[in-house]
Amino acid sequence: MISIAELIPVLQTAIGPVILISGIGLLLLSMTNRLSRVIDRARNLLALSETLQGPPKDKTKAQIDILWEQARLIRRSILFGAISVLCAALLIIGLFITALFGWEDAWLISVIFVCGMLSLIGSLLSFIQDINQSLSAFKVELYGYGKHAEQDIRIKKK
């Protein structure tokens, strides 16, 4: 049986993954809010596209296509973030089990930690791709306005 004095360092070590879970939780909250906004925007554009004809309809369809890709990227980002949180929770459990039973299995803890960090990296990379897609959708929306109109004319001439 493990004593309280032996358990305290394990609790101190487990604080790191708990903080990681909290931070990723906030990131997931942002991502789910972003996904909701993308879905709402796509629904509005779909309704609008039914009333449009010609170039405005094509522009709206292009935006909807970009929003679909954004939704896929955000979904992937949320998935990787959730896997990272799961790995952090498994890491905490692994720390306690190895302490309770006196197992010296650094490989198990290391593999869980690395999987969690790789998932977090995947989540952030997908999130960055989503941000880039947002700019693409905005560029389609700006097509023909202001400073961008000059660039559009140059593109058409090529």
Side-chain angles (χ1 to χ4, degrees):
M1 189 67 148
I2 190 168
S3 71
I4 296 294
E6 294 170 328
L7 190 59
I8 290 174
V10 177
L11 288 170
Q12 291 171 336
T13 305
I15 295 296
V18 169
I19 293 169
L20 180 67
I21 288 171
S22 177
I24 296 173
L26 289 173
L27 188 61
L28 288 171
L29 179 64
S30 296
M31 290 177 192
T32 55
N33 286 338
R34 192 166 175 79
L35 181 61
S36 295
R37 290 183 66 205
V38 166
I39 290 170
D40 289 344
R41 177 79 174 133
R43 285 181 177 149
N44 290 338
L45 286 174
L46 281 168
L48 178 65
S49 72
E50 293 176 6
T51 64
L52 298 174
Q53 296 297 322
K57 185 169 186 153
D58 295 337
K59 186 174 164 181
T60 303
K61 281 186 171 185
Q63 285 181 319
I64 292 168
D65 290 342
I66 292 169
L67 289 170
W68 170 251
E69 183 60 28
Q70 266 188 271
R72 289 181 62 237
L73 288 168
I74 296 169
R75 180 188 64 191
R76 184 172 54 194
S77 188
I78 290 169
L79 174 68
F80 281 133
I83 290 170
S84 185
V85 168
L86 177 64
C87 287
L90 290 172
L91 182 62
I92 294 167
I93 292 169
L95 287 169
F96 278 100
I97 288 175
T98 56
L100 285 174
F101 295 111
W103 296 336
E104 291 294 326
D105 194 4
W107 279 102
L108 174 66
I109 301 300
S110 299
V111 167
I112 294 172
F113 180 76
V114 168
C115 287
M117 291 299 101
L118 289 174
S119 294
L120 179 58
I121 290 168
S123 176
L124 293 172
L125 288 174
S126 293
F127 191 64
I128 290 168
Q129 286 177 314
D130 165 54
I131 298 299
N132 288 333
Q133 283 288 25
S134 294
L135 291 174
S136 296
F138 190 52
K139 186 176 179 180
V140 168
E141 197 169 339
L142 289 177
Y143 183 78
Y145 293 100
K147 179 177 150 182
H148 299 282
E150 296 169 12
Q151 294 172 351
D152 297 340
I153 291 169
R154 280 186 259 142
I155 291 170
K156 286 181 183 178
K157 288 180 181 178
K158 289 181 182 180

